[in-house]
Amino acid sequence: MPRMTMIEAIRSAMDVAMGRDDDVVVFGEDVGFFGGVFRCTHGLQQKYGVSRCFDAPISESGIVGTAIGMAAYGLKPCVEIQFADYMYPAYDQIVSEAARLRYRSAGDFTCPMVIRMPTGGGIFGGQTHSQSPEALFTHVAGLKTIVPSNPYDAKGLLIAAIEDPDPVIFLEPKRLYNGPFDGHHDKPVTAWSKHALSEVPEGHYTVPLGQAVTRREGAAVSIIAYGTMVHVALAAAEDTGIDAEVIDLRTLVPLDLEAIVASVEKTGRCIVLHEATLTSGFGGELAALVQEHCFYHLEAPVMRVTGWDTPYPHAQEWDYFPGPARLGQALRDIMEAR
Amino acid sequence: MSSDEAGKAPATIQPLKFHVPQPASRPGEKPDFSDVVIPKAGSVARPPVDVDPKDIRDLAYSIIRVLNREGEAVGPWVPDLSPEDLVRGLRHMMTLRSFDARMQMAQRQGKTSFYMQHTGEEAVSCAFRIALGPHDMNFPTYRQAGLLIAHDYPLVDMMCQIYSNQRDPMKGRQLPVMYSSKENGFFSISGNLATQFVQAVGWAMASAIKNDTRIAAAWIGDGSTAESDFHAALVFASTYKAPVVLNVVNNQWAISTFQGIARGGSGTFAARGLGFGIPALRVDGNDYLAVYAVAQWAIERARRNLGPTLVEYVTYRAGAHSTSDDPSAYRPKHESDEWPLGDPLVRLKQHLIAIGAWSEERHKQAEAEILATVIAAQKEAESFGTLHSGGKPSARDIFEDVYAELPPHLRRQRQQIGV
Ligand SMILES: Cc1ncc(C[n+]2csc(CCOP(=O)(O)OP(=O)(O)O)c2C)c(N)n1
Ligand SMILES: [Mg+2]
């Protein structure tokens, strides 16, 4: 089976989707001729022509607004916002329009589209190339939100997202794009080509939305994570020797509550982990659900390990990033908590 | 037509076609600027500043130029700049180019994460700054460091920002080149394109509300004019006759995307102003004298309550977009050599030599002096650290300035990190 980086897997997903369905169109800033600043759409214009993969003016509201119009016509646009940090001009189109089109027209018009965007830090991108705005999407009824953690999932989830009848936000952790990243920024790491999850089938397959997966079985504590943080969780479990179970959510909405509940009922302890800021982050939702559904199984309060409630700094990136050291401390604390 | 025929396509109708603009040439092809029509230097009239905007609509489609091919300053736009002023201007541009070269190299050496050069566009920000008053306010993009250099902002401070070191005025928080200096009329740079353009209009409105005398200058790239904030800026500036100069730097490229994608069917970026009743001028952005002259004209209009002016600087981004970019993937390798408006440094140098105010020898000497100054500044800056070694801003600085006062939840988080 071919080995792919995250970028290659994402490109392959669009390639497969465009090959199977003429209605799939791909556009965004620098996406056409050049193939995207991260090269995720490289070669698609050559293969499918300029009317199916093209460069957009620098207008995120324009990109999403026209994509909604195309979706209303019957196409399946898969558009790229160059960085999640630049989606704000499109936020009105996403929240007020894409998310509600089916509802407000009673299914008369629908919005089958995917909005891809690189997310997260770890590349010294400063405050405008590092944000994790997933909670701004999960809070909106009508949107589905996906954050893959590896090439295999990225491709399967993206194909599923493109085939989905509703608008899907597809957040691509840019720290994982080329890999390698094993949770530690300051230690040698394994390249994607040596990771099992970089084995990606050439052709069509899907990873269904709404299904979490256990990345590491453990009995002591459940770590609920997604995207880049899955790798941090695995590293911290390794470092501390604490027998943590690592749940990779993959899809935030719809959420695989059963997987979470099953794990926490087994371990009795839960840490929620994300790179985004703490206050009103998706971790708050997860902690509330665990409390509601697993209260009588809990042996310690649910903990959240997240980015600080500040903009993402440049020089102090790794002091901001909730890495294995911070998570390791939380793991030790939660094991001692009674 | 009977009613049941209405709305039906006639049998002969053609299928619709989707149009995507294409640049004149791509990698491996011969650079082609035949569509850039360049009027003769000195050929465009200079209207009085209180001209009725509708009488100068043609200026949005021409290019105001002062320096001709022989290096002579010709025509009605020749500005009132002494040879000394021009030598100073040349030195500013040389400093910016030298600064760029050193910082580009520092990034390659791993001393910082990122850098953005100005190569080929030095005249725009350097000359504009000289035309502006000391207390006016710029709302720049990341490609106008000439506004700081031509205002004698310390190179060391700029470098400390680029290195994110312990003396970084932005405390390590910002990506390199995202400077800020209120004192120097330089608004904090945002990574989010176009946001500053409309903010400049607001600053200018405030100055008018308070019967102040200061004006604002808004800056934006050709590609970013596609953002809604650009259009919002034009409507607000037009409605309130804000004392602002609206600058569009058309360097032909927006990362890999040629300017035709943002411009579409409109003839020029300047012409965007016409629909708003804003006088719009196009100027040779590689001609220091022309940039200065047009800036002065627009600034005077703002100052005299005549309202906003839109200026399009026609220039060329000779280098890569940033240290993360490689233009050979999307434009001919030697396209910049073919750019018909030349190199702004070479052109001003040639002019100064033509008027007897400069020589090759003095130029070489100045180059060496400037390089020595930049290297000395770099040494000093590096003594305060670089991104990955030496003095660093404190982790405490992550939590400061989120609010005026540190709220309890941030105090708790800061304690957690132990600083
Ligand atoms: C809102 C937003 N969208 C996208 C980007 C990514 N981006 C950074 S620079 C750039 C190109 C800008 O081109 P132009 O406006 O022509 O300015 P130039 O770089 O040529 O000076 C893009 C797309 C961004 N910074 N902000
Ligand atoms: Mg540009």
Side-chain angles (χ1 to χ4, degrees):
Chain A
M1 205 180 287
R3 296 269 182 187
M4 294 189 196
T5 65
M6 213 57 177
I7 289 175
E8 290 161 345
I10 287 165
R11 185 189 303 149
S12 173
M14 285 184 275
D15 188 1
V16 166
M18 292 174 90
R20 285 166 60 98
D21 185 350
D22 282 350
D23 288 341
V24 178
V25 292
V26 166
F27 62 104
E29 294 156 20
D30 302 291
V31 155
F33 183 84
F34 182 55
V37 294
F38 288 104
R39 318 319 308 281
C40 287
T41 56
H42 183 61
L44 297 180
Q45 181 175 83
Q46 248 172 323
K47 189 161 173 186
Y48 298 102
V50 286
S51 54
R52 293 196 54 208
C53 177
F54 51 91
D55 288 318
I58 303 173
S59 167
E60 291 74 15
S61 60
I63 290 166
V64 175
T66 53
I68 293 170
M70 291 178 194
Y73 177 90
L75 298 189
K76 291 181 183 152
C78 176
V79 298
E80 176 177 304
I81 301 292
Q82 200 161 86
F83 285 84
D85 316 57
Y86 303 141
M87 70 85 183
Y88 303 105
Y91 199 54
D92 186 32
Q93 288 288 347
I94 296 172
V95 174
S96 314
E97 306 300 319
R100 298 190 212 145
L101 193 53
R102 177 188 296 280
Y103 191 81
R104 77 177 193 218
S105 70
D108 193 19
F109 287 98
T110 61
C111 198
M113 64 186 278
V114 177
I115 309 176
R116 299 177 35 244
M117 48 186 108
T119 184
I123 62 156
F124 279 102
Q127 55 194 275
T128 57
H129 304 89
S130 306
Q131 296 166 31
S132 296
E134 63 271 17
L136 298 180
F137 301 117
T138 58
H139 193 58
V140 177
L143 298 177
K144 296 180 179 177
T145 302
I146 297 175
V147 193
S149 71
N150 60 76
Y152 179 87
D153 282 355
K155 178 169 174 182
L157 287 165
L158 183 51
I159 294 176
I162 292 171
E163 293 173 354
D164 195 272
D166 286 309
V168 180
I169 307 293
F170 194 84
L171 296 164
E172 302 170 0
K174 68 179 86 67
R175 174 69 212 206
L176 304 181
Y177 263 160
N178 287 305
F181 184 65
D182 284 330
H184 290 281
H185 71 282
D186 50 359
K187 284 191 190 164
V189 282
T190 319
W192 270 133
S193 59
K194 307 238 165 60
H195 273 271
L197 291 168
S198 75
E199 280 198 7
V200 178
E202 203 94 64
H204 179 274
Y205 69 94
T206 58
V207 171
L209 308 195
Q211 287 185 14
V213 66
T214 305
R215 292 282 170 224
R216 183 188 192 281
E217 304 246 357
V221 48
S222 304
I223 306 173
I224 305 176
Y226 46 91
T228 309
M229 291 299 121
V230 171
H231 303 272
V232 170
L234 294 170
E238 204 63 42
D239 295 351
T240 56
I242 292 171
D243 188 22
E245 179 146 298
V246 178
I247 307 288
D248 178 355
L249 290 179
R250 305 199 284 199
T251 309
L252 308 192
V253 177
L255 181 70
D256 190 348
L257 183 59
E258 274 100 276
I260 296 170
V261 170
S263 177
V264 177
E265 284 187 350
K266 180 175 81 176
T267 62
R269 291 180 164 84
C270 179
I271 295 180
V272 174
L273 176 65
H274 60 61
E275 192 178 344
T277 47
L278 175 74
T279 301
S280 301
F282 192 65
E285 179 64 26
L286 292 171
L289 286 167
V290 169
Q291 185 274 134
E292 279 168 22
H293 293 271
C294 311
F295 186 79
Y296 297 105
H297 292 82
L298 286 175
E299 291 169 48
V302 179
M303 286 177 76
R304 287 178 290 170
V305 177
T306 70
W308 308 121
D309 280 331
T310 75
Y312 210 111
H314 175 247
Q316 305 93 332
E317 167 148 271
W318 296 109
D319 296 312
Y320 182 90
F321 185 88
R326 215 142 92 206
L327 178 59
Q329 189 55 51
L331 281 168
R332 284 187 287 270
D333 291 349
I334 205 168
M335 292 317 294
E336 278 164 25
R338 280 263 140 226
Chain B
M1 196 188 277
S2 72
S3 65
D4 48 275
E5 268 170 336
K8 262 194 212 156
T12 57
I13 201 156
Q14 297 290 312
L16 299 167
K17 279 212 182 91
F18 181 53
H19 172 71
V20 181
Q22 298 298 329
S25 49
R26 285 297 194 185
E29 296 171 358
K30 227 183 106 45
D32 178 4
F33 287 113
S34 53
D35 59 335
V36 185
V37 180
I38 306 205
K40 260 198 151 114
S43 65
V44 177
R46 184 183 191 281
V49 291
D50 58 357
V51 67
D52 186 335
K54 70 177 187 303
D55 295 338
I56 56 163
R57 294 169 71 93
D58 55 328
L59 291 190
Y61 296 96
S62 191
I63 301 182
I64 295 164
R65 305 178 62 231
V66 168
L67 292 174
N68 68 15
R69 228 177 280 162
E70 285 65 50
E72 297 156 343
V74 295
W77 286 92
V78 176
D80 183 21
L81 286 171
S82 69
E84 293 72 43
D85 293 334
L86 292 174
V87 167
R88 212 173 124 234
L90 181 61
R91 293 182 71 100
H92 288 149
M93 293 199 287
M94 291 166 73
T95 305
L96 179 52
R97 188 164 293 184
S98 177
F99 183 93
D100 272 351
R102 298 297 302 183
M103 291 297 99
Q104 176 86 3
M105 203 194 316
Q107 192 276 343
R108 292 291 181 238
Q109 294 166 339
K111 291 175 181 172
T112 190
S113 56
F114 180 78
Y115 190 69
M116 299 179 97
Q117 300 196 84
H118 303 72
T119 323
E121 302 176 42
E122 291 89 346
V124 176
S125 54
C126 287
F128 189 92
R129 178 67 257 191
I130 299 303
L132 204 61
H135 305 296
D136 298 326
M137 184 61 80
N138 287 286
F139 285 74
T141 81
Y142 44 72
R143 231 184 283 283
Q144 277 95 44
L147 296 172
L148 289 171
I149 285 179
H151 204 53
D152 297 326
Y153 183 75
L155 301 182
V156 177
D157 290 9
M158 293 169 72
M159 289 168 171
C160 287
Q161 196 283 326
I162 290 163
Y163 288 140
S164 267
N165 65 18
Q166 70 187 32
R167 245 203 59 190
D168 170 8
M170 303 310 95
K171 303 185 177 177
R173 293 179 191 140
Q174 276 275 51
L175 203 63
V177 315
M178 303 291 182
Y179 318 107
S180 173
S181 177
K182 189 192 270 185
E183 204 189 325
N184 289 274
F186 195 94
F187 184 71
S188 157
I189 296 179
S190 171
N192 298 63
L193 296 172
T195 50
Q196 75 285 351
F197 208 69
V198 64
Q199 293 160 359
V201 176
W203 198 97
M205 287 163 62
S207 189
I209 289 168
K210 299 301 284 182
N211 306 125
D212 197 347
T213 58
R214 295 178 291 166
I215 64 152
W219 294 89
I220 200 167
D222 49 282
S224 308
T225 61
E227 291 282 7
S228 310
D229 284 344
F230 172 76
H231 303 268
L234 293 191
V235 72
F236 277 72
S238 165
T239 296
Y240 298 109
K241 272 193 155 203
V244 62
V245 181
L246 302 163
N247 296 304
V248 177
V249 182
N250 176 5
N251 63 6
Q252 312 300 317
W253 289 94
I255 311 186
S256 75
T257 307
F258 89 112
Q259 42 91 17
I261 294 286
R263 180 170 50 78
S266 107
T268 66
F269 290 99
R272 296 268 194 245
L274 300 183
F276 295 90
I278 297 175
L281 283 65
R282 275 177 106 217
V283 54
D284 178 346
N286 291 14
D287 178 338
Y288 186 93
L289 284 83
V291 169
Y292 177 86
V294 168
Q296 208 185 26
W297 191 90
I299 289 164
E300 195 186 334
R301 275 182 45 80
R303 201 88 70 207
R304 286 177 48 186
N305 279 309
L306 295 165
T309 309
L310 183 67
V311 181
E312 176 185 344
Y313 302 86
V314 183
T315 182
Y316 183 83
R317 193 197 80 210
H321 170 73
S322 73
T323 46
S324 313
D325 176 46
D326 174 11
S328 69
Y330 52 80
R331 66 185 192 189
K333 245 207 176 94
H334 302 291
E335 193 183 77
S336 76
D337 300 339
E338 306 291 319
W339 173 243
L341 294 173
D343 178 322
L345 274 72
V346 173
R347 287 176 65 193
L348 182 54
K349 172 188 162 195
Q350 186 199 10
H351 172 65
L352 281 166
I353 292 174
I355 62 172
W358 200 240
S359 65
E360 286 293 347
E361 205 170 304
R362 284 183 68 185
H363 192 80
K364 274 216 186 77
Q365 208 182 326
E367 234 163 20
E369 260 170 46
I370 285 167
L371 180 61
T373 309
V374 173
I375 289 176
Q378 189 178 6
K379 272 221 176 89
E380 191 184 338
E382 289 181 8
S383 75
F384 301 108
T386 59
L387 181 59
H388 299 295
S389 73
K392 283 184 187 349
S394 158
R396 259 182 103 80
D397 287 324
I398 299 176
F399 301 94
E400 304 292 332
D401 295 328
V402 181
Y403 304 95
E405 271 180 54
L406 194 71
H409 72 288
L410 283 184
R411 190 175 305 280
R412 276 196 300 277
Q413 291 179 21
R414 196 177 73 185
Q415 275 160 5
Q416 241 176 298
I417 196 173
V419 288

